[in-house]
Amino acid sequence: MDGYGAPTVVDGGATELAILWGGLPALGAGAGWLLVTGAEWVAGLPWAPAQGLFEAVARLPDPQAGIGGLALGTLGGLLVAAVGTAERLAVSVDAERVRLRRDRADREVGRRAVRAVFVDGKDLVLLGADDEELLRERSDLAAARLRDGFRAHGWPWTDGDPHRDAYRRWVPGLPGLPTGADALLRARQRALDADRGGEARELRGELGRAGVVIRDDGRRQSWRLTRAAPRPRPEDATPAEPEVDGR
């Protein structure tokens, strides 16, 4: 084993699992019981939605109705707990590599390829030698725990994005982007506006391969170039294209 010792694992720990598998089923059971006991009262409210459902529940015989509400609520809590467990992120870091595991999918980045590591909002970010993003992963893991884990194994942790001041707000048609990047940013903006997260992530990857790093502020996009990105000449700039169908 290397001189930095055994890998450090950063995850939600036993407390998170206890909340998922203990707290959520209990909350679900409570919600199911309230649904049954309050069904008749809610059904009598003229403005309440889904009155037909509450009337049907109110007609169920006791104690079967109460037992059924508890069972269904508990089952719902267990299903949510299973999804939450699958979505948990675990980060394992040693002196040679970092591994990220979520929902049985593993990603790995070698130490030699990494120039900087930091947390941007809720995203863990690794930058490469050309200041490109090697990895950006959303998580609720504490930044202090991630910092301590990476620093314990000699990784180049920084307290924030070292290129934060290099980002420019994206405005359609402004010069400075490599060829084709403006069209990708337009498509990504439409994906963000429509809450198509998967498509937005794919387009982030395409922009990264073009040498453009994206930073989101809500649904607003900012960008910067990597060291290896082609620098367009001012005479190559083209005017903004008109939007189609009002987009």
Side-chain angles (χ1 to χ4, degrees), residues 4-232:
Y4 291 104
T8 298
V9 177
V10 182
D11 58 20
T15 300
E16 184 178 71
L17 287 174
I19 293 173
L20 286 170
W21 292 100
L24 291 180
L27 286 173
W33 181 82
L34 287 174
L35 172 65
V36 172
T37 58
E40 184 174 358
W41 176 73
V42 175
L45 299 175
W47 48 265
Q51 282 186 311
L53 171 63
F54 287 101
E55 289 172 356
V57 172
R59 288 195 295 268
L60 295 175
D62 290 327
Q64 291 89 342
I67 295 172
L70 288 171
L72 287 175
T74 301
L75 178 60
L78 289 171
L79 291 174
V80 174
V83 172
T85 300
E87 289 296 315
R88 294 173 79 227
L89 177 67
V91 179
S92 176
V93 57
D94 58 31
E96 298 295 329
R97 63 190 59 83
V98 59
R99 294 188 180 94
L100 287 84
R101 182 175 180 83
R102 190 197 298 272
D103 195 16
R104 298 184 297 276
D106 289 335
R107 299 179 65 185
E108 181 175 306
V109 179
R111 166 66 184 86
R112 292 184 179 180
V114 177
R115 181 184 180 93
V117 187
F118 58 93
V119 168
D120 180 22
K122 289 192 172 183
D123 294 346
L124 174 64
V125 182
L126 277 64
L127 299 184
D130 289 323
D131 294 326
E132 78 279 17
E133 283 188 356
L134 300 174
L135 179 143
R136 177 179 284 266
E137 189 73 27
R138 177 62 54 95
S139 83
D140 291 320
L141 298 175
R145 294 184 60 206
L146 290 168
R147 176 199 64 205
D148 293 345
F150 278 96
R151 283 183 173 175
H153 297 281
W155 287 65
W157 180 273
T158 65
D159 292 325
D161 189 342
H163 304 289
R164 188 180 184 91
D165 294 337
Y167 285 91
R168 299 171 56 187
R169 173 77 180 276
W170 174 68
V171 177
L174 284 185
L177 285 163
T179 302
D182 189 72
L184 291 172
L185 282 161
R186 289 171 186 263
R188 189 171 186 274
Q189 187 64 59
R190 291 193 290 269
L192 291 174
D193 292 339
D195 292 323
R196 298 194 298 267
E199 183 180 345
R201 284 190 295 274
E202 291 178 3
L203 289 165
R204 176 191 286 275
E206 290 190 40
L207 285 159
R209 289 187 286 275
V212 181
V213 180
I214 302 301
R215 189 176 191 276
D216 292 327
D217 181 10
R219 293 183 179 180
R220 295 182 299 181
Q221 301 182 95
S222 298
W223 61 273
R224 67 171 176 83
L225 299 180
T226 66
R227 297 186 182 192
R231 264 56 179 181

